[in-house]
Amino acid sequence: MKKNKTESLTAEKGLFTIALTLNGRPAEFRVKPNEFLLDALRAHGWKGTKKGCDTGDCGSCAVMFNGKPELACMIPAVTAHGSVVGTIEGVGTVDRPHPIQEAFVEAGGVQCGFCIPGMVISAKHLLENVPDPSEAEIKKALDGNLCRCTGYVKQIEAVKIASKKLRTRRASK
Amino acid sequence: MEKKDFKVVNQRVDKQDALGLACGHPVFADDMDFTGMLYGRLLWSPHAHARIKKIDVAAALKVPGVKAVLTYKDVPRVLRTTAGQGYPEPSPYDTCTLDNKVRFVGDRVAAVAAETPEAAQEALGLIKVDYEVLPALFDPLLADKPGAPVIHDEPDARNIPDAKKNIAAKFEFEVKNGEWFGAADFVFEKTYSMPYLQHCAIENHTVITSLDQHNRLVIRTSTQVPFHVRRIVAQALQIPVKKIRVIKPRIGGGFGSKQEVLLEDICSALTLKTGRPVRIEYSRKETFISSRTRHPAVVRLKTGVKKDGAITDAEMDITLNTGAYGSHALTVMMCSGSHTIPLYKVANNIKFIGKSVYTNLPVSGAYRGYGATQGFFAWESQMDIMADAIGMDRVEFRKRNYIKLGEGSPVFKAMGEGREGVEQVITSTGLYECIEEGMKAIKWKEKREKYRHQKGPLRRGLGMCGLMQGSGIPEVDMGCATIKMNEDGSFNLLMGAADLGTGSDTILSQIAAEVLGVKVTDIIAHSSDTDLTPFDVGAYASSTTFISGGAVKKAAERVRDMIIEVGAKILEKKKEDLRLEGGKVVARDGASCSLSEVANTSLYYYNQHQITASASHFGHTSPPPFAAHFAEVEVDTETGKVKILDYISCVDCGTAINPTLAEGQNDGATLNGIGHTLSEEMEFSSAGTPLNASFRRYKIPSAADLPPMKTILIPTFEPNGPFGAKSVSEIGINGPLPAIANAIADATGARLYNGPFTPDKVLRAIKNKAS
Amino acid sequence: MNNLRKCVFPDNLNAALTALGDRKSLPFALAGGTLSGKNIGPETVTLVDLKRLPLAAIKTTAAGLSIGALATFDEIENSRVVKGWAGGVLCAAAAKCSSQLVRNMATIGGNIARPNAFNVFPPLLLALDAKVTVAWKGVAKTFPLAGLYDGTLKKIPGRDCLITGIILPAASKGLKCAFEKFARTESSWESYITLAMCAEVKKGVIKSARIGIGALSAVPVLAPKAAAALTGETPGEAAGKAAALAGDLAGMRISPKSVEFKKEVAAALLRRFVVSLA
């Protein structure tokens, strides 16, 4: 993020052009004045981030925003200019899944799957900062990601499994 | 087939779609882009009860980008139900696509399709409606009293038992063997209530309709009932079924709210009018108000008990609030009795009096538990009250009276779901083990002893309950599956069954794989496309494992026979000597050939034919799953706050086709029930306006609210179910209200009769007991 | 937000205040955005994104504890400096805000900028006797927190001025605090009642007390009657019972449906706090 001067963007023909880093690559979006980052991401093909409430209360829109999990539905798209954004697509793929994604599958933490992208974003951030979290710490880190299918039991288990996988991987390096 | 021989069934197989979902694959309804798609929006009524005297859309049509504005004048007036049920649906035909009367705040007035959401929004604001506001009815207990406004006064509604009295459904049933309460030593009459509750599936209702290259209507919808959608849209818009294709993509949860044909008709109407793809996606607020809810209920339960522990009489009187329209009004009401009363033997007299009444409030419909939730709150609370009165241990009282293997109940035949039921006896039950295991897991005896003497404002207590549900609707629910074989020994499994995140694609693949002797990864499941997959009623009534699973098993067995026919020729053996195992046809003497060889032979070499078979299945009985729930609570008697210290649910679902998925289903159902118990309720203003239609104010449990909670599967073997399976998905939601009510009563002596048990109510109950 | 035509990303306070000072450009400043982000109306044409401003520092000074207005709830909750201040009561309060994702975004400045019954910091900062620094072009003023709500500040934070920081007076060793958010669930934004209770205990006697009440009114209020009842008393059951908040709550407009309940809960929570001081 450039920090050496004050920037400003002006809309042209009713649209802002924003430049951001998305999943590690430079990206340019044209966004409407009233658009939020969630809609902008989905409109540009990034469908993994979901809209569950659009009011910041369910967490299914969670993305990495300048190093923290944040609610994409609450971020005006224009303010994402110059930001570093990470979505679920950047975490892992079916061919090369992240250990957290594998852990969610193994533990049975995925039912309908709608809350999972947001939950993986939150869980990944937790494990990168607290490698061996307690159950209370896990619950607190995930308390913004609502799930109605699983009752969270196997999702918390998944985070514990992922924590072990990551620590083992780190230890063997 | 012995359980220990299962190779795929009863294994913790990974859910097929789980990894893709964890990687954010674009598989939900709104994850697909359609060229030229229009945004559909609906205009909602601000009044609880009003006639539309005049509606003028001229200004709305002029908004740039607006391609269609529909009112009741533009769509056929076909009164039908929105309930996703088998035809003829046992629900009132009282709803049409757009009407000239509105019956609740949030009822549909008009629909707009425009090129941008902003244009659609602008158009909505320009629709001019002249309403004749009518007096509104909000109290279900006043619905059938003289002077109450008549909500369904339209002459063309059908199947409403008494529209003038706002009765959307009624049913009575009595077994009389003697003088009412004549033999009872104690008689208790208590009233229990539950408020409006919402499913809160994290994905809002979403539908995208379009026309394909043959001008057929293609409906891509987040639904539990694709085939009912097809039929009801055909009915509503008066187009032939053959012109409609319904595709269910992955769904973000339903829990019953998507067992409803809610948006598909109006969205299709917009597509037919404009010729373009149209998307309607409910906002969270719209899902709360204008989709479906649980039926609020008032249950008056009068029971008699003898000192020796026999329950002598039971009179269950339930009034359900079905809201403005009668979707599922009869069936939920009947299940409140048919899924609860049979659990315990009633020696002399049983009476069920049920009615569902209209009010000018949001529409109730199917919601996990489906009436049994309301019924068990009453029953299982009352069981503790009766046990305490006669001085019998609460668990022993239940054990003395619960239904056992081989036993039946007069209720089974008298009360089904919307019609007469079927005579049946219990063919599998693990209720005893559920209770024993649960008591052990929560340390019931030890803790009850410890909590006998407590001091201070924090009081602990334990409560439990017994439960049953059903497995599909007998003689009604049907599913079909088609299996075809590929060259490499893999199989396509085509089923109508709807996977709403439950994992039915996976468990049905497991069933097929078990029969065919292959790995589950050799089964390619494809479900819920009305053009490609055969019929299935859809995901409700806890029927998928039991009914659709039965169809899959039968289809697989037919395919197995065809394979063995070919294998016999290849191996030159008698068919009776062959079996399928490990991807091969194996003879008793060990000779074998691969399934791939069989496939190639049948496709290319000899007596060429495609190895394929379909099979349908429906149940003649509905073997109940059983469960016992145990709760340990700590009540702060100075603030009313209830904390759950431990919660154990033990469930008998027969053979769990996939134990991980079964546990997950039960965990989710149970926590949902805990939400109902401690924090969830919809609130309304005195004008019927919903006040907390958001996740911010209607609180469902978050991970931080999860108490120590565990599901224990108790295996039994149900002879009528595929590989011994019964259902599992609904039963868990019914436990927390009574188990926690019983635990609070145990801890404080104060009993709560009205959910949810918020701190203010708990504190008041404690004070009332003290005074 | 339909009329938004410009977005400014100031990287220093002066630039931010200049942008806000340009009234003709119809500006509005956004910090975390969790309260205001969805309510930016058609009257805003220029958005001033505050997130790049270096206003998140948390440090102890001679005056006490200084928290930059842009410090997020998550940063405050995890700050070692804040944990060590008055028993970490600010961390406890930060932890009670909504959910982790909101705590990652929401700032303390945004939380106090406008009256809102359910916000966590206003009643606590009131009880802690905090001061707020507000700046506009060429001016920086520091005043007690209540000045944000009682008309002292004749400006609107975010529209024509910015909150830059919160200053908490140095906490004596005898300062004991507790924060209670009594709500239906854990990750709640709403609550039945929010109580911030602070007492200065010296030689086994309560020298002074300040009790902040939230959730019952848009603007947080102090409970001076209860505080007075505690002053000079010995911590314990008796003092706790005497200081029930009924007197202070009597003056507030609480819905008749819940007033008795809230009085009882408040009394119980306050009594427990007073007992804990012993």
Side-chain angles (χ1 to χ4, degrees):
Chain A
M1 195 165 78
K2 285 207 185 126
K3 266 194 150 173
N4 52 7
K5 65 183 180 74
T6 293
E7 270 190 275
S8 108
L9 289 181
T10 308
E12 277 169 57
K13 295 209 183 96
L15 293 174
F16 288 102
T17 304
I18 63 170
L20 57 153
T21 305
L22 179 54
N23 291 327
R25 289 207 176 83
E28 201 175 82
F29 283 2
R30 298 188 44 77
V31 301
K32 295 191 277 195
N34 63 347
E35 208 167 353
F36 287 84
L37 181 58
L38 171 61
D39 293 308
L41 283 168
R42 290 182 64 80
H44 286 82
W46 300 91
K47 307 288 187 185
T49 310
K50 306 296 183 203
K51 178 182 290 198
C53 72
D54 217 19
T55 56
D57 298 303
C58 76
S60 49
C61 69
V63 295
M64 288 305 291
F65 192 77
N66 295 327
K68 292 178 292 175
E70 296 200 1
L71 298 157
C73 74
M74 304 288 268
I75 300 172
V78 64
T79 66
H81 175 69
S83 291
V84 179
V85 178
T87 67
I88 185 67
E89 289 90 345
V91 173
T93 62
V94 167
D95 291 325
R96 296 194 63 213
H98 189 281
I100 291 182
Q101 291 163 318
E102 288 176 330
F104 266 86
V105 174
E106 262 173 61
V110 181
Q111 282 186 36
C112 81
F114 201 77
C115 74
I116 297 295
M119 205 166 276
V120 168
I121 295 281
S122 292
K124 180 163 176 279
H125 183 73
L126 170 70
L127 292 177
E128 281 165 1
N129 289 283
V130 185
D132 192 7
S134 66
E135 182 150 319
E137 285 171 319
I138 296 173
K139 284 178 172 176
K140 183 133 177 291
L142 298 184
D143 71 353
N145 296 97
L146 293 181
C147 173
R148 200 54 150 170
C149 292
T150 67
Y152 308 107
V153 178
K154 293 190 187 303
Q155 295 173 334
I156 292 167
E157 197 49 50
V159 178
K160 290 180 182 164
I161 292 172
S163 156
K164 210 155 167 205
K165 278 188 204 269
L166 289 167
R167 280 180 286 128
T168 309
R169 194 167 77 166
R170 219 169 283 144
S172 67
K173 279 213 166 107
Chain B
M1 201 178 183
E2 279 302 315
K3 256 216 191 117
K4 56 180 165 34
D5 298 330
F6 289 156
K7 302 228 167 37
V8 185
V9 156
N10 198 227
Q11 305 304 315
R12 294 180 183 272
V13 165
D14 283 349
K15 191 156 164 291
Q16 289 171 345
D17 50 352
L19 188 58
L21 291 165
C23 294
H25 280 190
V27 293
F28 293 92
D30 186 48
D31 290 342
M32 201 173 195
D33 288 326
F34 285 74
T35 317
M37 187 183 82
L38 301 173
Y39 296 84
R41 286 278 169 84
L42 299 169
L43 181 66
W44 304 115
S45 166
H47 302 293
H49 200 196
R51 260 181 248 285
I52 297 177
K53 282 202 332 240
K54 199 161 149 252
I55 182 164
D56 180 356
V57 305
L61 279 165
K62 291 207 184 73
V63 173
V66 169
K67 297 299 176 195
V69 180
L70 299 177
T71 72
Y72 71 90
K73 302 179 220 159
D74 306 302
V75 291
R77 184 182 172 81
V78 176
L79 287 226
R80 43 154 186 112
T81 181
T82 57
Q85 299 174 308
Y87 182 81
E89 306 90 342
S91 293
Y93 273 27
D94 60 7
T95 314
C96 48
T97 299
L98 286 170
D99 204 344
N100 57 5
K101 192 184 186 205
V102 291
R103 297 175 179 82
F104 71 106
V105 175
D107 200 357
R108 236 185 252 182
V109 174
V112 166
E115 281 175 333
T116 64
E118 291 80 16
Q121 197 60 40
E122 199 188 328
L124 288 179
L126 293 171
I127 298 174
K128 291 199 261 284
V129 191
D130 247 334
Y131 291 104
E132 176 198 340
V133 180
L134 304 167
L137 168 68
F138 301 120
D139 185 346
L141 297 177
L142 298 177
D144 59 350
K145 305 287 177 284
V150 178
I151 297 173
H152 282 279
D153 56 350
E154 66 272 19
D156 47 352
R158 282 179 288 146
N159 219 9
I160 300 180
D162 193 343
K164 284 206 169 57
K165 286 189 151 170
N166 293 311
I167 296 179
K170 64 179 179 192
F171 181 85
E172 279 188 33
F173 152 69
E174 185 175 17
V175 165
K176 196 159 189 292
N177 288 318
E179 188 205 329
W180 271 96
F181 301 104
D185 290 321
F186 296 92
V187 177
F188 294 98
E189 184 173 17
K190 301 285 182 188
T191 302
Y192 305 82
S193 80
M194 282 177 69
Y196 262 103
L197 298 160
Q198 221 279 326
H199 315 65
C200 299
I202 308 299
E203 183 206 24
N204 292 302
H205 289 69
T206 305
V207 56
I208 304 179
T209 53
S210 58
L211 295 172
D212 71 3
Q213 72 269 42
H214 303 295
N215 231 37
R216 289 173 75 228
L217 184 61
V218 180
I219 303 175
R220 179 183 168 88
T221 174
S222 181
T223 182
Q224 296 171 222
V225 288
F227 285 88
H228 296 328
V229 167
R230 183 177 67 171
R231 184 189 75 249
I232 291 176
V233 170
Q235 179 189 15
L237 300 181
Q238 295 180 322
I239 52 183
V241 163
K242 69 184 177 192
K243 293 288 250 177
I244 302 172
R245 176 180 183 185
V246 179
I247 301 172
K248 173 205 77 68
R250 292 251 73 84
I251 307 178
F255 314 111
S257 68
K258 295 172 183 171
Q259 186 196 340
E260 210 74 24
V261 184
L262 263 186
L263 294 175
E264 293 86 352
D265 60 331
I266 189 66
C267 202
S268 297
L270 289 169
T271 280
L272 290 172
K273 178 92 179 144
T274 60
R276 288 170 64 168
V278 177
R279 183 193 76 178
I280 298 182
E281 184 189 12
Y282 264 178
S283 67
R284 178 53 56 185
K285 183 174 172 189
E286 288 170 327
T287 297
F288 265 109
I289 301 173
S290 307
S291 69
R292 292 291 178 261
T293 65
R294 190 184 286 288
H295 288 78
V298 175
V299 183
R300 180 184 62 81
L301 185 61
K302 187 171 179 186
T303 53
V305 63
K306 271 169 74 163
K307 287 201 197 96
D308 69 357
I311 302 172
T312 57
D313 311 79
E315 182 181 282
M316 180 175 179
D317 178 340
I318 184 166
T319 300
L320 290 174
N321 181 350
T322 195
Y325 298 91
S327 178
H328 299 272
L330 175 62
T331 42
V332 170
M333 179 259 286
M334 288 182 76
C335 281
S336 72
S338 65
H339 283 336
T340 57
I341 304 173
L343 185 56
Y344 300 107
K345 283 190 275 297
V346 178
N348 300 338
N349 308 309
I350 300 174
K351 189 166 192 188
F352 177 86
I353 309 153
K355 66 175 189 265
S356 288
V357 298
Y358 289 116
T359 59
N360 293 117
L361 287 168
V363 186
S364 315
Y367 188 163
R368 203 171 200 175
Y370 208 80
T373 319
Q374 295 91 327
F376 273 120
F377 176 32
W379 264 100
E380 284 296 318
S381 296
Q382 198 118 330
M383 288 299 283
D384 263 23
I385 294 174
M386 290 192 281
D388 289 356
I390 61 174
M392 191 177 259
D393 177 85
R394 295 162 187 163
V395 174
E396 286 312 308
F397 180 58
R398 286 171 172 84
K399 279 179 165 171
R400 185 210 186 282
N401 291 305
Y402 64 46
I403 195 168
K404 298 193 175 63
L405 197 65
E407 292 178 340
S409 162
V411 177
F412 285 138
K413 173 113 176 95
M415 286 182 67
E417 195 168 309
R419 50 190 244 181
E420 217 180 59
V422 274
E423 189 94 52
Q424 66 175 17
V425 295
I426 301 303
T427 40
S428 67
T429 170
L431 185 52
Y432 177 84
E433 290 82 3
C434 286
I435 292 174
E436 291 298 301
E437 287 302 307
M439 284 173 70
K440 228 190 300 172
I442 207 167
K443 301 197 170 64
W444 178 265
K445 293 203 168 98
E446 172 192 319
K447 287 199 171 135
R448 293 210 67 222
E449 189 53 48
K450 190 166 125 188
Y451 298 151
R452 241 190 244 284
H453 307 287
Q454 295 184 74
K455 281 193 302 211
L458 300 179
R459 294 299 168 95
R460 297 186 174 185
L462 288 122
M464 61 86 63
C465 70
L467 302 167
M468 60 180 275
Q469 191 82 24
S471 297
I473 309 171
E475 306 293 347
V476 173
D477 283 348
M478 181 268 288
C480 179
T482 303
I483 299 177
K484 71 174 178 68
M485 189 176 192
N486 303 312
E487 284 99 317
D488 59 352
S490 69
F491 298 85
N492 290 99
L493 170 60
L494 307 169
M495 351 157 236
D499 186 330
L500 48 152
T502 44
S504 62
D505 284 354
T506 301
I507 63 114
L508 294 172
S509 300
Q510 285 176 260
I511 290 173
E514 187 72 46
V515 173
L516 296 167
V518 296
K519 298 199 285 283
V520 74
T521 43
D522 288 326
I523 307 288
I524 307 148
H526 189 83
S527 58
S528 309
D529 179 332
T530 58
D531 271 6
L532 303 178
T533 62
F535 182 90
D536 188 290
V537 289
Y540 58 89
S542 295
S543 59
T544 304
T545 303
F546 189 71
I547 305 283
S548 313
V552 169
K553 184 161 183 281
K554 272 180 179 164
E557 285 161 355
R558 288 183 192 171
V559 167
R560 181 180 60 192
D561 290 344
M562 293 174 79
I563 293 171
I564 285 179
E565 178 97 36
V566 175
K569 278 270 171 343
I570 295 173
L571 295 172
E572 289 173 334
K573 296 256 186 264
K574 286 215 281 270
K575 284 193 286 194
E576 308 79 72
D577 291 344
L578 301 177
R579 67 183 188 280
L580 298 189
E581 193 180 297
K584 299 188 172 75
V585 181
V586 182
R588 235 178 273 171
D589 67 2
S592 70
C593 67
S594 69
L595 286 186
S596 166
E597 201 182 331
V598 168
N600 281 311
T601 303
S602 66
L603 287 172
Y604 299 116
Y605 308 151
Y606 170 77
N607 186 24
Q608 288 86 333
H609 63 289
Q610 161 77 68
I611 293 180
T612 180
S614 291
S616 302
H617 184 68
F618 65 96
H620 301 287
T621 57
S622 179
F626 290 93
H629 283 209
F630 294 81
E632 181 190 354
V633 304
E634 181 179 85
V635 182
D636 186 331
T637 57
E638 289 174 345
T639 65
K641 200 99 210 279
V642 175
K643 187 170 159 190
I644 301 175
L645 299 177
D646 205 0
Y647 198 100
I648 305 285
S649 65
C650 296
V651 58
D652 151 34
C653 59
T655 301
I657 303 292
N658 187 321
T660 301
L661 296 182
E663 288 162 356
Q665 281 292 297
N666 195 64
D667 287 338
T670 302
L671 188 62
N672 193 333
I674 288 174
H676 287 358
T677 306
L678 296 182
S679 61
E680 294 178 37
E681 67 182 320
M682 285 175 74
E683 295 162 13
F684 299 91
S685 76
S686 55
T689 307
L691 295 175
N692 65 340
S694 70
F695 279 148
R696 190 159 307 189
R697 300 208 60 227
Y698 181 100
K699 299 305 296 180
I700 72 173
S702 73
D705 296 302
L706 176 67
M709 191 178 86
K710 192 171 152 82
T711 292
I712 300 174
L713 296 179
I714 302 291
T716 62
F717 193 91
E718 170 49 54
N720 296 305
F723 299 111
K726 289 188 284 196
S727 73
V728 74
S729 52
E730 289 184 86
I731 189 170
I733 204 170
N734 305 329
L737 265 165
I740 292 170
N742 289 339
I744 294 174
D746 186 51
T748 64
R751 179 165 287 282
L752 282 108
Y753 296 90
N754 307 295
F757 308 152
T758 49
D760 54 326
K761 282 181 175 149
V762 175
L763 195 59
R764 203 178 319 131
I766 291 173
K767 289 187 134 18
N768 288 343
K769 167 124 217 314
S771 64
Chain C
M1 242 175 14
N2 289 338
N3 292 340
L4 210 59
R5 290 296 172 267
K6 189 165 172 201
C7 186
V8 185
F9 301 87
D11 80 326
N12 64 81
L13 184 59
N14 232 356
L17 296 177
T18 304
L20 276 185
D22 179 7
R23 303 313 300 157
K24 280 206 308 238
S25 72
L26 302 175
F28 180 73
L30 200 62
T34 53
L35 282 173
S36 327
K38 291 293 208 186
N39 298 317
I40 298 171
E43 73 284 355
T44 296
V45 173
T46 302
L47 193 59
V48 182
D49 185 343
L50 302 175
K51 289 200 279 286
R52 300 185 193 183
L53 292 182
L55 284 180
I58 300 172
K59 53 183 188 267
T60 39
T61 67
L65 175 64
S66 160
I67 303 180
L70 293 177
T72 65
F73 280 68
D74 186 61
E75 283 162 357
I76 291 169
E77 189 189 347
N78 290 309
S79 155
R80 220 178 285 144
V81 173
V82 181
K83 271 201 191 105
W85 196 91
V89 68
L90 288 152
C91 300
K96 285 286 187 181
C97 164
S98 293
S99 75
Q100 187 63 56
L101 294 165
V102 173
R103 293 191 288 273
N104 289 347
M105 297 169 76
T107 63
I108 188 168
N111 197 247
I112 65 174
R114 260 167 289 287
N116 188 308
F118 300 119
N119 285 352
V120 146
F121 279 123
L124 177 57
L125 294 178
L126 192 66
L128 291 172
D129 203 9
K131 289 196 169 42
V132 174
T133 307
V134 178
W136 56 95
K137 196 74 174 111
V139 183
K141 269 203 160 73
T142 302
F143 47 81
L145 179 92
L148 285 175
Y149 313 124
D150 64 8
T152 304
L153 175 70
K154 293 184 191 356
K155 283 180 172 293
I156 302 170
R159 214 160 261 298
D160 52 13
C161 68
L162 286 180
I163 299 171
T164 56
I166 289 92
I167 301 166
L168 293 140
S172 76
K173 264 218 286 259
L175 180 66
K176 302 251 183 312
C177 305
F179 180 83
E180 288 282 350
K181 180 173 169 175
F182 192 82
R184 264 191 211 195
T185 62
E186 289 303 311
S187 315
S188 221
W189 173 67
E190 291 186 324
S191 56
Y192 290 99
I193 186 168
T194 305
L195 281 180
M197 302 165 281
C198 303
E200 177 108 33
V201 181
K202 258 210 169 92
K203 294 190 188 149
V205 173
I206 300 171
K207 241 187 80 178
S208 68
R210 276 175 79 94
I211 299 154
I213 305 175
L216 300 185
S217 54
V219 163
V221 296
L222 284 171
K225 294 199 177 102
L230 285 173
T231 307
E233 296 297 318
T234 311
E237 276 288 334
K241 280 209 178 89
L245 283 155
D248 296 296
L249 292 177
M252 299 183 70
R253 270 207 340 225
I254 309 169
S255 133
K257 256 198 322 179
S258 56
V259 65
E260 280 315 311
F261 171 64
K262 291 181 182 181
K263 279 193 188 144
E264 292 221 39
V265 171
L269 296 175
L270 181 58
R271 196 182 68 248
R272 288 175 190 177
F273 171 67
V274 175
V275 167
S276 78
L277 297 174

